[in-house]
Amino acid sequence: MAFETVHDDFLPWLPADPGRVVDIGAGSGRDAAALSARGHQVVAVEPIPELRDVAERLHADAAIEWVDDALPALSGLRGRFDLILLSAVWMHLDEQERSEGMRRLAELVSPRGCVAMSLRHGPVPAGRRMFEVSAAETIALADRFGLSPVHHGEKPDVLGRAGVRWSALVFRAEADTDRGEGE
């Protein structure tokens, strides 16, 4: 499915000019490739070697830097990003990992930059590690680390899976402040 279809909620929040973007949990690389095609400098983070290898082959012509890393630490990332994208990633983290991860996202986002994430709600597929995480909980957590909500959308599953729905959240770093002191 096309980037624009899956992430229609995020389109207004993409950097207007080419910027520095990171796709965390890049999977097959669809989103990283779409962002690269829009002129952004893209870093794609994918911790699963098999997925990363496939994505690198599929998008060999795209200007994407592939990084073997994972939330919550993201220790391989340096600098700040104008957009941080987490598509179908956040619900794979437990409560402690989400807290540590949000702190790290706040460190990585540029002043006035955005963090865009989609949250899956509904039955957990067999054999998958997922946690129920609400949009309200995520908004409150982001606020603790200086990230303000600028968009909250809800929609059904684009693949039509029974009982599955999605939240689309976008947060903005309002200023280059000492983030993460909200504990």
Side-chain angles (χ1 to χ4, degrees), residues 91 119-123 132-135 154 163-168:
M91 63 279 179
L119 305 176
R120 183 187 191 277
H121 309 286
E132 182 57 40
V133 56
S134 70
E154 299 283 335
V164 176
R165 62 184 178 77
W166 293 84
S167 295

Side-chain angles (χ1 to χ4, degrees), residues 9 43-44 50 61 66 70 72 79 91 108 114 133-134 138 175:
D9 281 271
V43 176
E50 296 81 6
D61 294 339
W66 293 92
M91 63 279 179
L108 290 168
C114 289
V133 56
S134 70
T138 306

Side-chain angles (χ1 to χ4, degrees), residues 42-125:
V42 178
V43 176
V45 174
E46 178 51 54
I48 300 171
E50 296 81 6
L51 277 177
R52 198 173 54 254
D53 291 346
V54 167
E56 286 185 78
R57 281 195 305 278
L58 284 173
H59 307 290
D61 294 339
I64 300 170
E65 176 188 349
W66 293 92
V67 176
D68 176 7
D69 207 347
L71 281 162
L74 295 170
S75 56
L77 293 182
R78 301 285 180 261
R80 296 276 186 93
F81 295 90
D82 301 306
L83 175 72
I84 299 174
L85 176 65
L86 298 95
S87 177
V89 170
W90 200 244
M91 63 279 179
H92 295 292
L93 305 174
D94 67 27
E95 186 176 359
Q96 182 63 36
E97 291 167 329
R98 290 192 302 271
S99 181
E100 293 169 16
M102 191 66 78
R103 175 189 306 274
R104 184 66 175 129
L105 296 177
E107 292 170 355
L108 290 168
V109 69
S110 298
R112 305 289 301 150
C114 289
V115 176
M117 65 172 65
S118 59
L119 305 176
R120 183 187 191 277
H121 309 286
V124 176

Side-chain angles (χ1 to χ4, degrees), residues 9-37:
D9 281 271
F10 299 152
L11 297 178
W13 305 103
L14 297 181
D17 297 318
R20 192 158 187 255
V21 173
V22 62
D23 179 7
I24 298 172
S28 69
R30 175 202 61 207
D31 298 344
L35 292 164
S36 177

